[in-house]
């Protein structure tokens, strides 16, 4: 059997296939479609300290080679995640669970991280820094490096397991953002998040989404994500989870080649719910047929984090 194990710092996965936050619910929604225990990890839907209703509809729009969403971080809150969701995930023994937090203040994020640090079923924490910082006029955290530094440092002080920070490619300089996160204590970087975009309702002569812009995901953003992963991987020696428009094995291989150590599957979970498990099997078959090890897919091949 081909060895697909990968080490992202202290986070060890049985294979490099992960599901992206917001596209796989809390795991249980996909139980009828695939064996979750076959995946490397699942990333749970973003959580805030209190339950959140999200944005008014419409929330989804199909686009050429992708989709736009304006969900607004709807979630059931941290207390429900800890008391209801996480106990249900204990039946899965092999897949790692990554919680994702998206608080609107530094203090809210720190409190979420503090409580999740004590949850045995959470193996790592991903911080979404693309959400608006209400203490800073609603500007997303990622656009203010000083805020990012303080946010990651404070979370690092209370969260002792692997810490992932999810970067946006929409910032002026993603390398400076990555450097800030690493220096502040991030163990792993994940990139990219959705890309800001606009849709128009021609009949109403109005913007389609109530909030104006929304997040574009899917194959349309894959080249943007590949460049972001490549740029960061060339500059920093930090484990990277690449994501953005992965829809087939070839896409997975592209991300591994340019420097990702693992990949997350996002929008395609809605199109083909089994895709994450399919990609695990397809990657294993590919490497076996090519008689290659996982690390040999790298642009500058070296064992790195791969077993």
């Amino acid at each position: 059997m081909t060895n697909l194990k990968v080490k992202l710092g202290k986070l060890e996965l049985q294979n490099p296939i992960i599901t992206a936050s917001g596209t796989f619910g809390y795991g249980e929604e996909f139980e009828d479609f695939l064996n979750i225990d076959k995946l490397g990890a699942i990333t749970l839907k973003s959580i805030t300290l209190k339950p959140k209703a999200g944005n008014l509809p419409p929330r989804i729009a199909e686009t050429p080679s992708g989709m736009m969403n304006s969900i607004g971080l709807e979630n059931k809150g941290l207390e429900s995640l800890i008391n209801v969701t996480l106990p249900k995930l204990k039946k899965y023994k092999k897949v790692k669970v990554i919680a994702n937090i998206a608080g609107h203040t530094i203090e809210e994020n720190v409190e979420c991280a503090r409580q999740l640090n004590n949850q045995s079923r959470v193996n790592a924490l991903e911080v979404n820094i693309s959400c608006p910082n209400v203490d800073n006029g609603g500007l997303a955290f990622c656009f203010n490096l000083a805020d990012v530094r303080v946010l990651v440092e404070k979370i690092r002080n209370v969260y002792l397991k692997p810490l992932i920070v999810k970067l946006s490619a929409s910032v002026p300089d993603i390398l400076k953002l990555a450097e800030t996160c690493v220096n502040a204590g991030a163990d792993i970087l994940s990139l990219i998040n959705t890309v800001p975009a606009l849709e128009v309702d021609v009949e109403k002569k109005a913007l389609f989404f109530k909030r104006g812009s929304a997040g574009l995901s899917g194959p349309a953003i894959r080249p943007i994500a590949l460049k972001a992963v490549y740029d960061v991987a060339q500059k920093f020696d930090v484990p990277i989870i690449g994501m953005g428009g992965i829809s087939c094995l070839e896409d997975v291989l592209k991300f591994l080649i340019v420097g990702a150590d693992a990949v997350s599957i996002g929008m395609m979970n809605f199109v083909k719910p089994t895709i994450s498990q399919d990609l695990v099997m397809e990657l294993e078959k590919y490497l076996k047929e090519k008689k290659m090890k996982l690390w040999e897919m790298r642009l500058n091949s070296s064992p790195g984090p791969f077993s």
Side-chain angles (χ1 to χ4, degrees), residues 65-94:
S65 197
M67 64 169 276
M68 296 171 64
N69 87 82
S70 178
I71 305 300
L73 298 174
E74 176 191 358
N75 74 86
K76 52 191 178 182
L78 184 63
E79 182 177 351
S80 177
L81 178 76
I82 291 174
N83 295 325
V84 179
T85 302
L86 293 180
K88 293 179 180 177
L89 293 174
K90 287 185 176 179
K91 61 185 174 185
Y92 298 107
K93 305 300 182 185
K94 297 179 179 178

Side-chain angles (χ1 to χ4, degrees), residues 59 61-64 66-70 168 170 193-200 207-218 220-221 224:
R59 293 178 165 192
E62 187 173 352
T63 69
M67 64 169 276
M68 296 171 64
N69 87 82
S70 178
S168 166
S170 302
N193 210 325
T194 57
V195 176
L198 196 72
E199 182 58 292
V200 175
L207 299 184
F208 183 82
F209 293 104
K210 295 287 191 299
R211 294 177 58 85
S213 65
L216 176 65
S217 59
I221 70 168
I224 300 172

Side-chain angles (χ1 to χ4, degrees), residues 103-304:
H104 288 320
T105 65
I106 290 174
E107 290 70 25
E108 180 183 2
N109 280 304
V110 171
E111 179 57 23
C112 288
R114 186 187 66 77
Q115 293 192 40
L116 289 169
N117 183 60
N118 299 321
Q119 302 305 314
S120 61
R121 196 59 192 96
V122 174
N123 302 104
L125 179 66
E126 182 179 63
V127 184
N128 178 2
I129 58 173
S130 297
C131 55
N133 177 5
V134 296
D135 283 344
N136 194 13
L139 185 70
F141 280 104
C142 61
F143 288 101
N144 186 319
L145 296 180
D147 280 353
V148 171
R149 178 180 58 78
V150 173
L151 174 68
V152 177
E153 283 180 347
K154 289 195 173 185
I155 291 175
R156 177 76 287 174
N157 288 337
V158 300
Y159 190 78
L160 306 181
K161 289 182 276 187
L163 177 60
I164 307 165
V165 180
K166 187 172 186 176
L167 308 187
S168 166
S170 302
V171 295
D173 190 337
I174 196 170
L175 294 181
K176 287 185 178 178
L177 180 59
E179 181 178 34
T180 299
C181 293
V182 171
N183 289 341
D187 300 304
I188 304 164
L189 300 179
S190 60
L191 55 153
I192 61 172
N193 210 325
T194 57
V195 176
L198 196 72
E199 182 58 292
V200 175
D201 187 323
V202 174
E203 292 298 320
K204 295 180 180 177
K205 295 182 181 177
L207 299 184
F208 183 82
F209 293 104
K210 295 287 191 299
R211 294 177 58 85
S213 65
L216 176 65
S217 59
I221 70 168
R222 191 183 61 247
I224 300 172
L226 284 170
K227 184 179 187 307
V229 170
Y230 174 80
D231 288 349
V232 173
Q234 290 293 308
K235 183 76 173 181
F236 303 102
D237 184 19
V238 60
I240 293 174
I241 301 171
M243 68 189 83
I246 295 175
S247 61
C248 62
L249 176 63
E250 184 176 347
D251 294 342
V252 172
L253 299 178
K254 288 179 180 178
F255 274 88
L256 295 177
I257 289 171
V258 299
D261 304 300
V263 297
S264 277
I265 315 304
M267 189 211 79
M268 283 302 293
N269 287 309
F270 302 130
V271 179
K272 186 181 182 186
T274 63
I275 186 170
S276 297
Q277 182 174 308
D278 294 345
L279 289 174
V280 174
M281 294 186 291
E282 291 173 18
L283 179 60
E284 183 176 24
K285 182 174 182 287
Y286 176 88
L287 294 174
K288 185 177 181 181
E289 290 178 349
K290 295 288 185 181
K291 297 181 179 178
M292 294 175 65
K293 299 183 185 303
L294 192 55
W295 64 266
E296 291 178 304
M297 289 304 307
R298 302 293 290 269
L299 197 61
N300 301 310
S301 295
S302 64

